[in-house]
Amino acid sequence: MDRLDAMHLFVRVAELGSFSAAAQQMGVARSVVTRQIAALEAHLGVKLMARSTRRLTLTSGGTAYLEKCRVILNLVEAAETGVAEERLTPRGNIRISLPLSYGLKRLAPVLLDFSQRYPEVVLDMDYSDRRINLIEEGIDLSIRITRRLESGDVARKIGKSRMLVVASPDYLARHGRPLHPSELVHHVCLGYTYAGSSQVWQFMVDGVLESFHVRSRLNANNGDVLTEAAAQGLGITCQPDFIVDTFLAAGRVEAILADYPIPELGIYAMLPSNRHVPHRVRVLMDSLAERLATA
């Protein structure tokens, strides 16, 4: 293993805080990782990591070396990317994390087209709604749907989604149609669990964003399940357009409270904060943004 490989290995161990996790992510034996870090420390003549039975921490020398390694590795990546771009053919691996429903309904066709167009790019797709740490899990690109980004996020907005409140014609016939968000408290609602145990839905009322508490009869962390429940007359749900559109088209649910819009969701391509963005990842982001703009 050459010096750059050793640096890369050290960075992965430092970011993951574990020899075993780094070994698993890089596809090598744990003994290889331990041996290479020990060799690197011997070469530098300084202890980089303090090990215990429960955790691994960087020494002051290790912290300083980590930052220099990141700079060097990013410069190498940028240099290699520059050469690769001259060939105009994206190649290499991309690990991408995708939200489940949106990933299957809207992104899968785009990604399959991308794979057809660029056969030298290997796509590793992970469909899940869980919040992930891109660095810890070795993800090159993550698609996130949210109203707001957090401080320090590295992101590019590639699309947007409307939120709609829907219920079945049968439910509305039995329980009446709410004409104002405040009336939702008298209805049975179906809640997305990521919104928290205390369900609060927000609407624009006379140009002001207001919050309304709702009673949740059934909760799930998947919007397709909740919209199906609404279609079966179990209650009212608030879901993004990419989930409810097919239900609306089939007449299984109706949109309500249209006079009180809900803040839209942004669709973002999230990037690891400490890495150069490879050419292949930028090409994929451009493809996603172009297709989603016309979706």
Side-chain angles (χ1 to χ4, degrees):
M1 183 175 289
D2 62 26
R3 192 67 49 75
L4 285 176
D5 288 335
M7 285 183 177
H8 183 60
L9 189 59
F10 167 70
V11 170
R12 301 310 298 143
V13 171
E15 290 177 344
L16 296 171
S18 165
F19 288 105
S20 298
Q24 182 177 9
Q25 193 176 101
M26 301 191 73
V28 299
R30 186 184 187 282
S31 59
V32 172
V33 177
T34 304
R35 186 167 59 252
Q36 289 299 324
I37 296 301
L40 190 59
E41 290 177 325
H43 170 76
L44 296 171
V46 64
K47 202 74 170 173
L48 298 173
M49 298 177 173
R51 307 163 182 81
S52 71
T53 56
R54 299 193 62 180
R55 59 178 302 182
L56 180 152
T57 57
L58 294 178
T59 63
S60 58
T63 300
Y65 186 63
L66 174 63
E67 294 309 310
K68 291 181 174 63
C69 284
R70 283 174 171 163
V71 171
I72 292 169
L73 292 172
N74 281 338
L75 287 173
V76 170
E77 176 74 21
E80 292 179 347
T81 297
V83 173
E85 286 180 4
E86 293 179 0
R87 296 178 296 183
L88 301 178
T89 303
R91 51 175 48 84
N93 298 338
I94 301 177
R95 295 194 66 201
I96 180 169
S97 174
L98 306 158
L100 184 58
S101 293
Y102 186 75
L104 292 174
K105 295 175 184 294
R106 299 286 175 88
L107 298 179
V110 183
L111 293 171
L112 296 180
D113 287 347
F114 180 87
S115 187
Q116 292 268 18
R117 186 175 180 183
Y118 300 108
E120 295 186 56
V121 174
V122 177
L123 284 179
D124 182 355
M125 297 176 281
D126 177 25
Y127 288 85
S128 173
D129 287 333
R130 67 187 178 88
R131 191 70 173 267
I132 64 169
N133 185 305
L134 276 65
I135 294 174
E136 288 184 359
E137 301 197 29
I139 299 296
D140 300 300
L141 180 66
S142 174
I143 304 303
R144 186 178 302 167
I145 303 175
T146 183
R147 285 202 180 96
R148 67 176 65 89
L149 297 174
E150 297 179 2
S151 175
D153 282 341
V154 179
R156 172 181 171 183
K157 189 173 184 179
I158 59 175
K160 60 185 179 181
S161 176
R162 294 182 302 120
M163 295 293 292
L164 301 168
V165 180
V166 299
S168 71
D170 174 65
Y171 176 90
L172 296 174
R174 287 184 289 114
H175 300 280
R177 180 185 297 266
L179 300 178
H180 189 277
S182 61
E183 297 178 20
L184 288 172
V185 71
H186 304 299
H187 286 265
V188 176
C189 294
L190 311 172
Y192 187 61
T193 50
Y194 274 44
S197 56
S198 176
Q199 291 287 342
V200 176
W201 294 0
Q202 293 184 315
F203 297 84
M204 296 298 296
V205 180
D206 296 327
V208 178
L209 184 64
E210 294 189 18
S211 299
F212 298 87
H213 288 272
V214 299
R215 293 185 300 114
S216 184
R217 168 187 179 184
L218 184 152
N219 299 300
N221 66 348
N222 182 269
D224 288 283
V225 172
L226 295 170
T227 309
E228 176 61 35
Q232 293 186 21
L234 296 180
I236 298 173
T237 192
C238 177
Q239 299 298 329
D241 53 11
F242 59 84
I243 289 179
V244 303
D245 278 351
T246 55
F247 289 84
L248 288 168
R252 299 188 65 201
V253 298
E254 297 178 11
I256 59 177
L257 299 174
D259 292 334
Y260 303 93
I262 301 170
E264 69 180 20
L265 298 171
I267 301 169
Y268 297 92
M270 312 294 299
L271 296 162
S273 61
N274 64 338
R275 299 179 193 165
H276 171 77
V277 183
H279 175 57
R280 59 186 178 273
V281 174
R282 284 191 279 116
V283 171
L284 177 55
M285 282 195 296
D286 290 342
S287 297
L288 290 170
E290 180 180 359
R291 286 285 295 274
L292 297 181
T294 59

